[in-house]
Amino acid sequence: GLAVSLRAVTKVYDNGVMALGPLDLDVTKGEFVSLLGPSGCGKSTALRLIAGLNAPTSGTVGVFHRPGEERAGHSIGFVFQEPTLMPWTSVRENVRLPLKLARAAAAEANARVSEALTQVGLAEFADAYPRELSGGMKMRVSLARALVTDPDLLLMDEPFAALDEITRFRLNNDLLSLWRNLHKTVIFVTHSVFESVYLSQRVVVMSARPGRITAEIRIDAPEPRG
Ligand code: ADP
Ligand code: ADP
């Protein structure tokens, strides 16, 4: 089935900038798709519309969540380029935040936080503070915070763009392992051709003014990569 379905979606910001569209995009459940394109082509706008953080100017944004869930928001994890961690509280509390907002029970929340930290390789850093961590580790915390609600859909907006190349490559490989183990749908925004081809099953290429899809490339991957 589909995880996301955009139909004739446009976005015109209040200042008159036509950022997007019309855009049609279907993403299948479990798929890893990259949105690739130059700065300003509307990649972030597309992600924010899918996340429900912005409303489209016209068209429809369909996000298919788990049956029985009140809001689709609970099954979406969002990772930004800036880790945006709360500096005054520990890694564990940073990762716990979405569960607090969702009013999860304490025992279950503890278990979920530990699991998410293990998934990103930071189990031993639960009591550290963000300032003690490297850029790559902060990004791992941000990823754990996105995973802690066990979302079906992971939206990632140039998450590794500010990291050095080696750290970025490690995180690419770890993200691939996570994707293979967790069977989540991932939409990954990048302007790196390498990253898009390396990570995803399908690369959606966008061009600017207004943001449109100009090509779609399927990556054949008979063997697991990474
Ligand atoms: P990308 O993620 O590909 O760099 P964005 O979606 O951030 O592209 O931006 C697409 C276009 O919309 C750009 O021209 C940008 O300046 C404009 N834009 C983005 N956000 C806003 C906003 N909140 N208000 C006005 N214009 C915006
Ligand atoms: P990555 O995030 O891919 O592990 P980093 O460059 O962020 O790469 O860190 C490399 C390794 O160095 C980390 O996995 C961690 O084991 C160690 N490390 C980095 N910063 C710290 C720190 N502040 N305290 C302890 N170990 C650290």
Side-chain angles (χ1 to χ4, degrees), residues 2 13 40-41 43 46 63-64 77-78 94-95 101 105 113 134 136 172 176-177 182-183 186 188-189 209 218 224:
L2 290 177
Y13 284 107
C41 75
K43 305 183 295 296
V63 178
F64 303 90
F78 207 113
N94 269 282
V95 172
L101 299 176
V113 170
S134 66
N172 281 169
L176 267 181
S177 305
L182 302 179
H183 312 291
V186 182
F188 189 98
V189 162
R209 281 186 283 278
R218 272 185 190 284

Side-chain angles (χ1 to χ4, degrees), residues 78-86 94 134-143 145 159 162-163:
F78 207 113
V79 181
F80 302 91
Q81 182 178 329
E82 290 299 319
T84 60
L85 305 178
M86 299 181 295
N94 269 282
S134 66
M137 294 167 85
K138 282 183 196 152
M139 182 44 67
R140 288 170 192 276
V141 177
S142 180
L143 183 55
R145 186 180 53 191
L163 302 175

Side-chain angles (χ1 to χ4, degrees), residues 159-180:
F160 309 145
L163 302 175
D164 68 82
E165 219 170 318
I166 292 173
T167 301
R168 186 171 185 167
F169 191 57
R170 279 203 200 120
L171 279 156
N172 281 169
N173 286 327
D174 291 350
L175 177 61
L176 267 181
S177 305
L178 274 172
W179 173 71
R180 286 199 297 265

Side-chain angles (χ1 to χ4, degrees), residues 82-157:
E82 290 299 319
T84 60
L85 305 178
M86 299 181 295
W88 58 85
T89 179
S90 68
V91 164
R92 188 196 310 279
E93 293 311 314
N94 269 282
V95 172
R96 191 193 305 274
L97 183 67
L99 296 176
K100 277 193 176 154
L101 299 176
R103 297 171 187 279
E108 196 202 324
N110 287 338
R112 284 295 314 150
V113 170
S114 297
E115 190 179 356
L117 285 172
T118 302
Q119 283 165 346
V120 301
L122 284 186
E124 287 158 39
F125 292 88
D127 297 315
Y129 283 79
R131 64 174 175 276
E132 301 176 88
L133 305 179
S134 66
M137 294 167 85
K138 282 183 196 152
M139 182 44 67
R140 288 170 192 276
V141 177
S142 180
L143 183 55
R145 186 180 53 191
L147 291 171
V148 78
T149 56
D150 192 23
D152 296 322
L153 177 61
L154 194 54
L155 304 176
M156 306 186 77
D157 194 355

Side-chain angles (χ1 to χ4, degrees), residues 11 13-20 37-46 48 54 157-158 189 191 206 209 211:
K11 179 65 184 179
Y13 284 107
D14 291 343
N15 60 2
V17 171
M18 176 138 191
L20 207 63
S39 264
C41 75
K43 305 183 295 296
S44 300
T45 299
R48 286 201 299 267
N54 285 145
D157 194 355
E158 300 198 33
V189 162
H191 50 238
M206 292 178 62
R209 281 186 283 278

